Amino acid sequence: MKAILVANPKGGSGKSTLATHVAAHFAWEGEQVMMGDLDRQHTARHWLSLRPDNFPPIHGWELAEGLPAQPPPGTTVTVLDSPAGLHGKKLDTALKVVERVLVPVQPASFDLWALADFFQRLAKEKAVRKGRVEIAVIGMRVNPRTQTFRRFQDFVADYRLPLLTSLRDTQLYVQLQPRGLTLFDLPRPRFERDFAQWQPIIEWLK
C-alpha cells in the first residue's frame, strides 16, 4: 500500500487542499483510496462527506468499536492529512507508516520560520535518515515572479529538499472545496495550466 503524509507545523498552509487533490488523483487512477484525517478539526473528513456519489470514491477510516482506526480492506493508497503542530510521538508514528511526505508551504517569512525547526526534526528521524521516507516541498499560492519566491527557493535549497512545483493563487481551489471536488474532477482541457503545475507532484509520488 502506498502511504503519503501531508504535513506542515503551521496552520493555513494548504495541507487539506493538497491532501484532497492527491487523494482524488489516485481515485481517478482506479486506486482504492483512503484519506485519513489526523486533524481534530476534521476538515478532510467533512470534505469527504460532501463528495458527490458520481465521482470516484475516496474512503475514510474504518472505525470499529474498541479498535484503532485503520484503512478499509483493499486500500491501495492512503493519504494522511495532518494537523498543525504535528510533532513528537504523533510525528514518529506517522512516519513509521508512510513512504512519502509532502510539505505544502506558503513563502511568507512567518511560514518559513516555523518550518526551519520542523525540517530539522525531520532530518533527525530514523526513517528519514535511513532513506525509508522521502520528503518534498510544494509552494502554495505562489507568484514565481517575486523576490519572496526567490527567497523561498533559497530556503528550501538550504535543507537539500526538492521543491517539486508551485501552485498559483486561484479561487478555483476555494470554489471546489464546498462541493467535495478537486481540480482532478474537472474537464482537463479547461484547466490545463493548473494540471501542468500538478504534474511534478504526481510524477514524484509515482
Side-chain angles (χ1 to χ4, degrees), residues 5 10 24 50 86 97 112 126 133 135-136 141 144 161-162 173 176 180 194:
L5 173 67
K10 194 171 186 302
L50 301 171
L86 181 68
V97 298
L112 300 185
K126 183 177 180 180
V133 175
I135 304 165
R141 302 176 188 172
L161 294 172
Y173 295 107
L176 290 168
D194 294 291

Side-chain angles (χ1 to χ4, degrees), residues 7 17-18 24 34 52 79 96 102 105-106 119 125 131 149 153 170 174 180-181 192 206:
T17 296
L18 189 60
M34 187 212 76
V79 182
K96 288 177 181 177
L102 291 173
V105 182
Q106 295 190 47
F119 283 156
E125 292 288 340
F149 177 66
Q153 287 180 302
T170 170
V174 177
L181 298 175
E192 193 60 47
K206 288 181 178 178

Side-chain angles (χ1 to χ4, degrees), residues 74-90:
T75 299
T76 57
V77 175
T78 293
V79 182
L80 299 179
D81 184 24
S82 66
L86 181 68
H87 66 280
K89 290 184 178 179
K90 290 185 178 181

